[in-house]
Amino acid sequence: MVKKWWSQLVVAVLLVALVTACSSGSGGSKNAGNTQGEAAQSSAGGSTDTLEAWGKTIKEKYSGQEIKLAFASHPSTESFQKMTGDFERLTGIKVKWEVMEETYLKNKQLLDFTGKTGSYDVLMVDGFWMSEYGAKKVVEPLDAFIGNKDLTPAWFDYEDIVPAYRNGISKYNDKIYGIPTAGETRFVAYRKDLFEKYAKQPPTTMAEFLELAKFFNGKESGLYGVSMRAQRGIHAASGLMTVMYNFGGGFMDQKTGAVTMTDPKTVEAMQFYVDLLKNAPKDVASYTHEEALSAFTSGKAAMWLDATALATRILDPSSSQVYDKVGFVPTPEGPAGKASALAGWNMSLSALSKNKEAAWAFIVYMNSKSNAKTYVQGGGVPVRTSIYKDEELVAADPSYPVQLEALNDANVLVEKGISWIPPHEKLGQILDRVGYYVSAAMTGEMTVQEAAQKSQTELEDIVGK
């Protein structure tokens, strides 16, 4: 990222707002610096066909070892902590947690690495940090661990993890550096009662989305067509990104780094976003994801487009006036096809860990298919296909099947080689300036074309292109 840790902190804060997220250790332990062959040799013997049999084998090898974790304050962390006692009893491995606000986490992890301290064994890593962590060899490649049937038994089931997460947030240069633990995309919530009343179908295309927003805007007293985040700065940029890739647009060419704000597809997406928000509440220019959610859950908007992680609040009778009147559909398809947001967290092995196999045992246990339902029921965020299809969990959260469909759309973008959040060391500045001009166009201070041109000029200065 940028040279100063303060800049890293600023970017981390900005990423939080966007989506409401191979050197070996040396000395001291027989587990340091395992190659695939060494890992296979050290793990030979003992049945691992069941969780209990695996636990017995792990206990015989690593009982008494202590692993240290650097994690962010997050619902997934809280759920993993609830499961820790059972892991310790099963394996004999002791777990020491260090949990901090996510805005400090990256700086703490990088300082530990650059100082060669090696304080941690397991790191919680944002998907948007993975390229940097992989390039700097902060984290260990996991392909050898995943491919070893003794270290990673069949009941772990790596392939059950949603493809968008496996492909989009945990790899660098085609190597696996993390196991996805939590994530989100974006989708549409709509008022089923209103759609049924007026014989309307939920949107499947961007054109239909805009048409429906216009139709419902003012249709009833106090009703608006749509609610979205649009506050000047990063939230407006994030709102634009929600629809931008579906038009084929982008802030920059992610292969060449050239700024593309005046590309006709980007301009078209910006115009769509501005036109769409003409059908939102009058104070939408002040909305973060919180205000956008509140407008929808209080019954003021017929539709809402934002993070899947917020679905539980929409469906919660204690916080939503429309909890029993809501349906969900994926982000509508645009002229350039399907696309959807993608963000998430991983568990990774620190490259400086002296207890890699014991640390990997923790990762396997916590993120296995066998324990996935326990994790989600404890407040964790789903990342597995089987969980999104679990009948009991779907009954509790009927948005699950649509979330999975939206994640499949997110994988379309991944397969095109496009990161939903542009990977750039000056990302914070880029998002701030784009969001400033998008907001200016939304409030009528300038035309969309003028906003695009001014964004182009400023971004060229920022990125030096």
Side-chain angles (χ1 to χ4, degrees):
M1 299 292 286
V2 287
K3 294 180 180 179
K4 299 291 184 180
W5 72 265
W6 176 252
S7 297
Q8 295 173 344
L9 177 60
V10 170
V11 172
V13 173
L14 292 171
L15 289 175
V16 171
L18 279 174
V19 269
T20 315
C22 304
S23 58
S24 301
S26 58
S29 171
K30 65 182 180 180
N31 297 321
N34 278 333
T35 64
Q36 184 171 6
E38 291 168 340
Q41 184 178 11
S42 66
S43 300
S47 171
T48 60
D49 292 343
T50 67
L51 182 63
E52 293 73 20
W54 171 85
K56 183 179 179 180
T57 301
I58 295 298
K59 196 167 191 175
E60 290 172 353
K61 296 175 183 294
Y62 311 115
S63 182
Q65 287 192 17
E66 181 180 82
I67 59 171
K68 298 179 181 179
L69 285 53
F71 274 55
S73 301
H74 192 274
S76 64
T77 299
E78 294 172 9
S79 185
F80 289 134
Q81 287 178 308
K82 294 174 187 175
M83 298 164 64
T84 299
D86 287 340
F87 170 78
E88 291 179 323
R89 283 186 288 273
L90 181 68
T91 65
I93 298 170
K94 299 176 182 179
V95 180
K96 184 176 180 179
W97 286 89
E98 187 171 338
V99 180
M100 64 203 81
E101 291 297 323
E102 57 193 81
T103 49
Y104 300 104
L105 181 66
K106 183 181 182 184
N107 183 56
K108 189 73 176 284
Q109 292 174 348
L110 290 178
L111 283 175
D112 182 72
F113 173 74
T114 56
K116 304 298 181 184
T117 308
S119 301
Y120 306 113
D121 300 289
V122 183
L123 307 179
M124 184 174 177
V125 180
D126 191 312
F128 298 116
W129 308 344
M130 196 57 76
S131 294
E132 180 183 1
Y133 277 37
K136 292 180 176 178
K137 300 184 179 180
V138 177
V139 289
E140 189 81 3
L142 301 179
D143 302 77
F145 290 86
I146 294 170
N148 185 301
K149 294 180 181 179
D150 293 314
L151 291 176
T152 312
W155 46 261
F156 177 78
D157 198 353
Y158 177 73
E159 295 299 317
D160 181 54
I161 298 171
V162 172
Y165 292 136
R166 281 192 282 114
N167 300 330
I169 70 169
S170 64
K171 291 183 177 180
Y172 171 70
N173 279 353
D174 295 323
K175 289 185 178 180
I176 301 167
Y177 285 90
I179 299 299
T181 58
E184 66 181 40
T185 182
R186 292 184 180 176
F187 64 172
V188 173
Y190 67 96
R191 287 276 301 278
K192 290 194 296 184
D193 57 331
L194 292 174
F195 275 67
E196 291 172 2
K197 180 178 179 179
Y198 294 103
K200 295 294 182 180
Q201 297 297 315
T204 59
T205 68
M206 286 295 175
E208 292 172 356
F209 190 33
L210 179 57
E211 181 183 345
L212 286 164
K214 292 178 178 178
F215 175 84
F216 282 109
N217 194 44
K219 192 69 175 178
E220 296 185 0
S221 178
L223 180 67
Y224 296 92
V226 69
S227 180
M228 288 181 68
R229 62 178 79 188
Q231 186 182 85
R232 178 164 294 196
I234 187 171
H235 290 283
S238 179
L240 171 60
M241 288 166 63
T242 307
V243 301
M244 179 174 65
Y245 297 105
N246 306 67
F247 285 85
F251 298 159
M252 61 182 63
D253 186 312
Q254 294 189 14
K255 293 181 179 179
T256 67
V259 177
T260 56
M261 289 304 302
T262 54
D263 184 291
K265 295 177 181 178
T266 307
V267 176
E268 183 183 9
M270 193 185 300
Q271 186 67 62
F272 177 88
Y273 181 60
V274 169
D275 290 344
L276 184 67
L277 292 181
K278 291 176 182 177
N279 305 285
K282 302 304 180 184
D283 58 343
V284 69
S286 66
Y287 282 13
T288 68
H289 59 281
E290 288 291 344
E291 291 81 10
L293 179 67
S294 178
F296 183 74
T297 56
S298 62
K300 295 179 180 178
M303 297 182 294
W304 165 95
L305 174 54
D306 212 299
T308 52
L310 299 172
T312 54
R313 292 169 62 182
I314 293 174
L315 297 170
D316 184 354
S318 68
S319 61
S320 174
Q321 297 177 27
V322 298
Y323 72 94
D324 58 346
K325 305 178 178 66
V326 180
F328 299 91
V329 291
T331 300
E333 185 173 357
K338 295 181 178 181
S340 197
L342 184 66
W345 291 97
N346 298 272
M347 277 195 202
S348 296
L349 281 179
S350 168
L352 298 180
S353 170
K354 300 176 180 66
N355 304 292
K356 287 189 175 69
E357 286 189 8
W360 179 249
F362 176 84
I363 294 175
V364 167
Y365 178 89
M366 291 293 169
N367 298 289
S368 67
K369 184 178 181 179
S370 298
N371 283 326
K373 193 167 183 176
T374 299
Y375 162 68
V376 171
Q377 290 176 327
V381 182
V383 294
R384 286 184 168 274
T385 300
S386 57
I387 290 297
Y388 280 113
K389 294 181 177 181
D390 183 279
E391 292 183 2
E392 181 183 2
L393 297 177
V394 170
D397 189 338
S399 75
Y400 268 20
V402 184
Q403 289 193 39
L404 183 58
E405 189 177 350
L407 284 165
N408 289 335
D409 291 347
N411 197 48
V412 171
L413 204 62
V414 173
E415 290 178 343
K416 292 179 181 178
I418 298 174
S419 173
W420 187 76
I421 295 181
H424 196 279
E425 63 180 17
K426 296 182 179 179
L427 176 63
Q429 292 176 263
I430 291 168
L431 296 173
D432 178 70
R433 299 320 294 161
V434 170
Y436 175 86
Y437 287 113
V438 169
S439 179
M442 187 173 61
T443 56
E445 298 171 44
M446 62 184 69
T447 67
V448 166
Q449 190 64 52
E450 290 171 336
Q453 185 58 63
K454 290 180 179 294
S455 298
Q456 178 79 21
T457 301
E458 286 212 27
L459 262 60
E460 286 175 349
D461 288 340
I462 291 170
V463 305
K465 293 282 185 178

